[in-house]
Amino acid sequence: MEEVPHDCPGADSAQAGRGASCQGCPNQRLCASGAGAAADPAIEEIKEKMKTVKHKILVLSGKGGVGKSTFSAHLAHGLAEDENTQVALLDIDICGPSIPKIMGLEGEQVHQSGSGWSPVFLEDNLGVMSVGFLLSSPDDAVIWRGPKKNGMIKQFLRDVDWGEVDYLIVDTPPGTSDEHLSVVQYLAAAHIDGAVIITTPQEVSLQDVRKEISFCHKVKLPIIGVVENMSGFICPKCQKESQIFPPTTGGAEAMCQDLKIPLLGKVPLDPRIGKSCDKGQSFLVEAPDSPATVTYRSIIQRIQEFCSQRLPEGENLVGS
Amino acid sequence: MEEVPHDCPGADSAQAGRGASCQGCPNQRLCASGAGAAADPAIEEIKEKMKTVKHKILVLSGKGGVGKSTFSAHLAHGLAEDENTQVALLDIDICGPSIPKIMGLEGEQVRAKFKEGWEIFSDNLGVMSVGFLLSSPDDAVIWRGPKKNGMIKQFLRDVDWGEVDYLIVDTPPGTSDEHLSVVQYLAAAHIDGAVIITTPQEVSLQDVRKEISFCHKVKLPIIGVVENMSGFICPKCQKESQIFPPTTGGAEAMCQDLKIPLLGKVPLDPRIGKSCDKGQSFLVEAPDSPATVTYRSIIQRIQEFCSQRLPEGENLVGS
């Protein structure tokens, strides 16, 4: 059979050489022998790069639109308020990179130097990287399939000159697919402290979040805890509370009790959050009095405490 | 070089045989010759299958969590209220399939209503989702792109669609494998158009403009834009708040700018989330809600759009 098979699972995949579509492919014997399963050299290169990064936190959710990027950005803002803390924020949402806008860094360019790509610095101690910085215009669509997205993520981890960093925060797109598998695989030899999982109160969200938690268990990624966003709304006109996204099955609280995972906090809706994100400002600074700000700060503190208790570099908890 | 290269772009990709990582691969010459670019036979098979499906509508958004699945489900409910209209709802969100829950088809209900590859909501409304193939709703589907594409191909080619007036395809957020695949697999069939969902804030609109750009690139007609979460009437004091403020004019300004129809602005109503969690039709549970009124008006505009589309055979979607 001279044709290249459709549905080639990819030379790196577990199905390489074994899938139904591999029958007759000239590469079949090679793939099936596991030659493609040799470790990607990038994993060691990334491990080296990550030696100057103390703590690595993934921000995940099975569900879209629950506030991952909002939370990642404000975790970065909050940690960087201490000018002695070096913070890096990496946006691996290739199709919908929101971080440049939320951080007020639209239009910024990434520069290359001898030691690699330089992140875009919001402050001296807060560097940001996103595919958004590589587009000619913010409205340009990045229409890439999985393998190309994986390549970009590998470059972000291996080729960016992160320097000495106390906290690397990785903002992810919703789901349990290429981006998530890739970031965990590429950081396999480095040490991910853990994942913060974002949800909203309704069951439709929790259902996807349970899948994300299941993903974390499968890849042996520690879970720092769950953040419930959009947890109630205080009407600014009458000060009474409404549940816009009703927790019909008990919200994140019930799910966390059920799965024995820490609930880091419940953040209420505040229209100033959306406004700050659109304007690229820190909500913590714009609305210091908001109950949402108080909760965010408490969550950030719990994350810092979790990280400070993690095993030192070299004790690898993430399965490769 | 005996090794299989890392970063194999895939035999079907445009980079097949041409990428840097292809150097030395035993397949390189074959891939570069374009052998992998021969059309997938499934495309013709799907075209045949789609001959009994009159109208095909994709529900898209660049942004997650704006209400695509909520809208897809209620578009299906609304159209199927006319018992003479056959409706099919296909959920191609492989990682986060919400449709089974929103349609109340989880668990035991599924076993009782399975028929010819479809989970049946009612006599004239059938639903398909990867969610129905899981042992438990909490099982994670951790698949890379190629495997997701294979599932989508199966949904389109192997499900017995029967005579359908409207096929609604609910998609995950983004502009990636699922979106490219559904457009490619339906390339020889005729997609009437896409409904694009957003919320009012600029962070959403930015992703939605990318989705619109995607539609233009793949020559997918745009039926219009729906703005969800467009204001909230406090049930205690009846005053309106903008929870997700339209700092740059919301969907209205974007649609004027891009000359695309704004199909409607749906306000927040806590009963929407509740209905979705319980698997009930919000249109039935809260017929008096301003959100219901807007949904029905949007559904009507979509029906009007579809009835004006070119008949089968006039293919507007580029292959």
Side-chain angles (χ1 to χ4, degrees):
Chain A
M1 178 182 159
E2 275 295 347
E3 285 171 14
V4 168
H6 296 280
D7 304 322
C8 165
D12 284 1
S13 114
Q15 285 304 306
R18 296 188 181 85
S21 39
C22 297
Q23 298 301 324
C25 173
N27 249 350
Q28 190 186 6
R29 194 179 50 78
L30 210 54
C31 283
S33 71
D40 188 334
I43 292 177
E44 274 302 308
E45 293 168 339
I46 290 167
K47 176 184 180 179
E48 278 309 302
K49 268 287 167 86
M50 287 290 137
K51 283 188 162 160
T52 56
V53 177
K54 277 208 194 97
H55 300 290
K56 302 157 206 77
I57 300 164
L58 301 194
V59 181
L60 302 174
S61 180
K63 189 85 182 70
V66 295
K68 283 179 295 309
S69 298
T70 304
F71 181 80
S72 301
H74 288 88
L75 176 58
H77 277 304
L79 291 169
E81 279 173 4
D82 172 7
E83 52 192 32
N84 295 317
T85 303
Q86 294 293 323
V87 182
L89 176 56
L90 170 60
D91 177 9
I92 63 166
D93 188 339
I94 309 293
C95 295
S98 304
I99 291 294
K101 169 162 284 297
I102 294 176
M103 299 300 285
L105 291 172
E106 278 194 313
E108 296 290 334
Q109 299 283 307
V110 167
H111 300 285
Q112 267 203 315
S113 72
S115 45
W117 296 359
S118 174
V120 175
F121 284 92
L122 178 67
E123 308 282 351
D124 284 343
N125 67 331
L126 177 41
V128 183
M129 179 56 70
S130 167
V131 80
F133 297 133
L134 307 176
L135 306 176
S136 332
S137 144
D139 297 346
D140 282 352
V142 180
I143 310 171
W144 292 355
R145 289 191 182 273
K148 205 163 172 185
K149 292 194 283 186
N150 299 337
M152 183 91 264
I153 291 167
K154 180 195 296 193
Q155 279 194 279
F156 280 154
L157 292 168
R158 183 191 60 197
D159 299 340
V160 170
D161 183 18
W162 294 104
E164 299 282 336
V165 170
D166 293 293
Y167 294 94
L168 169 65
I169 301 156
V170 184
D171 185 34
T172 65
T176 50
S177 186
D178 286 275
E179 299 88 337
H180 314 86
L181 284 164
S182 291
V183 76
V184 166
Q185 284 177 2
Y186 289 135
L187 287 175
H191 172 73
I192 303 179
D193 292 63
V196 178
I197 306 201
I198 314 291
T199 186
T200 48
Q202 71 274 43
E203 176 58 23
V204 168
S205 287
L206 298 175
Q207 188 172 58
D208 285 350
V209 165
R210 286 194 203 94
K211 295 183 200 300
E212 199 72 24
I213 291 169
S214 172
F215 167 83
C216 290
H217 291 326
K218 277 203 161 88
V219 299
K220 299 186 180 54
L221 180 56
I223 294 174
I224 302 176
V226 171
V227 173
E228 182 182 86
N229 274 339
M230 308 195 200
S231 197
F233 172 65
I234 309 280
C235 173
K237 320 273 159 104
C238 70
Q239 309 308 320
K240 295 207 170 62
E241 192 184 21
S242 292
Q243 290 292 339
I244 309 241
F245 302 106
T248 57
T249 55
E253 199 155 359
M255 178 188 75
C256 287
Q257 268 178 10
D258 199 38
L259 300 177
K260 301 187 181 17
I261 290 173
L263 176 63
L264 297 176
K266 294 162 65 164
V267 186
L269 272 165
D270 184 325
R272 290 174 291 177
I273 299 178
K275 206 177 284 188
S276 298
C277 288
D278 274 6
K279 293 184 190 302
Q281 298 159 338
S282 168
F283 171 74
L284 309 176
V285 168
E286 294 302 302
D289 53 299
S290 167
T293 298
V294 175
T295 310
Y296 264 154
R297 290 198 181 284
S298 143
I299 293 169
I300 291 171
Q301 195 171 336
R302 289 185 67 175
I303 292 171
Q304 284 177 289
E305 287 164 3
F306 179 94
C307 288
S308 64
Q309 293 164 16
R310 297 306 295 160
L311 298 168
E313 187 62 39
E315 303 272 292
N316 189 355
L317 283 186
V318 179
S320 43
Chain B
M1 176 181 162
E2 276 295 348
E3 285 170 16
V4 169
H6 295 279
D7 304 322
C8 165
D12 284 3
S13 115
Q15 285 304 307
R18 297 189 180 85
S21 40
C22 297
Q23 298 302 323
C25 172
N27 250 351
Q28 190 187 5
R29 194 179 51 80
L30 212 54
C31 282
S33 71
D40 189 332
I43 293 177
E44 274 301 310
E45 293 167 343
I46 291 168
K47 176 185 182 179
E48 279 307 302
K49 270 288 169 84
M50 287 290 141
K51 283 189 164 162
T52 56
V53 178
K54 280 210 193 98
H55 300 291
K56 302 158 205 74
I57 299 164
L58 301 194
V59 180
L60 303 174
S61 179
K63 188 86 181 72
V66 295
K68 283 178 297 308
S69 298
T70 304
F71 181 80
S72 301
H74 289 87
L75 175 59
H77 277 306
L79 291 170
E81 278 174 5
D82 171 7
E83 53 192 34
N84 295 318
T85 303
Q86 295 293 323
V87 182
L89 175 56
L90 170 61
D91 177 8
I92 63 166
D93 188 340
I94 309 293
C95 295
S98 304
I99 292 292
K101 169 161 285 299
I102 295 177
M103 297 298 291
L105 290 173
E106 281 191 318
E108 303 85 40
Q109 291 168 292
V110 162
R111 294 305 121 221
K113 293 178 176 180
F114 188 83
K115 180 177 108 172
E116 294 166 7
W118 282 103
E119 304 305 338
I120 303 301
F121 178 84
S122 62
D123 282 343
N124 66 330
L125 174 43
V127 183
M128 178 49 74
S129 165
V130 81
F132 296 134
L133 308 176
L134 306 175
S135 334
S136 143
D138 296 346
D139 281 353
V141 179
I142 310 173
W143 292 355
R144 289 192 183 272
K147 205 163 173 184
K148 291 194 283 185
N149 300 335
M151 182 91 263
I152 292 167
K153 181 195 294 193
Q154 276 194 279
F155 279 154
L156 292 170
R157 184 190 59 194
D158 299 342
V159 170
D160 182 16
W161 295 94
E163 298 283 335
V164 170
D165 292 293
Y166 293 95
L167 168 63
I168 301 157
V169 183
D170 184 35
T171 65
T175 51
S176 187
D177 287 274
E178 298 89 336
H179 315 86
L180 285 165
S181 291
V182 76
V183 167
Q184 284 177 2
Y185 289 135
L186 288 175
H190 173 73
I191 303 179
D192 292 61
V195 178
I196 307 200
I197 314 290
T198 185
T199 48
Q201 73 274 44
E202 176 58 24
V203 168
S204 288
L205 298 175
Q206 188 171 58
D207 286 350
V208 165
R209 286 193 204 94
K210 295 182 200 299
E211 198 73 24
I212 291 169
S213 174
F214 168 83
C215 290
H216 291 326
K217 278 203 159 88
V218 300
K219 299 185 179 56
L220 179 56
I222 295 174
I223 301 174
V225 172
V226 173
E227 182 182 86
N228 274 338
M229 308 197 201
S230 196
F232 172 64
I233 310 280
C234 171
K236 320 272 158 107
C237 70
Q238 308 309 320
K239 296 207 169 60
E240 191 183 23
S241 291
Q242 290 293 338
I243 309 243
F244 303 107
T247 58
T248 56
E252 199 155 0
M254 177 186 76
C255 287
Q256 267 178 10
D257 199 37
L258 300 177
K259 302 190 181 14
I260 290 173
L262 175 63
L263 297 175
K265 294 163 64 164
V266 185
L268 271 165
D269 184 326
R271 291 173 291 176
I272 299 178
K274 206 177 284 187
S275 297
C276 288
D277 275 6
K278 294 185 189 304
Q280 297 158 338
S281 167
F282 171 74
L283 309 175
V284 168
E285 294 302 300
D288 53 298
S289 167
T292 298
V293 175
T294 311
Y295 264 154
R296 290 198 180 285
S297 143
I298 292 169
I299 293 170
Q300 193 171 336
R301 288 185 68 174
I302 293 171
Q303 284 176 289
E304 285 162 11
F305 179 94
C306 289
S307 63
Q308 293 165 16
R309 297 307 293 162
L310 299 168
E312 188 61 38
E314 303 274 290
N315 189 354
L316 283 186
V317 179
S319 41

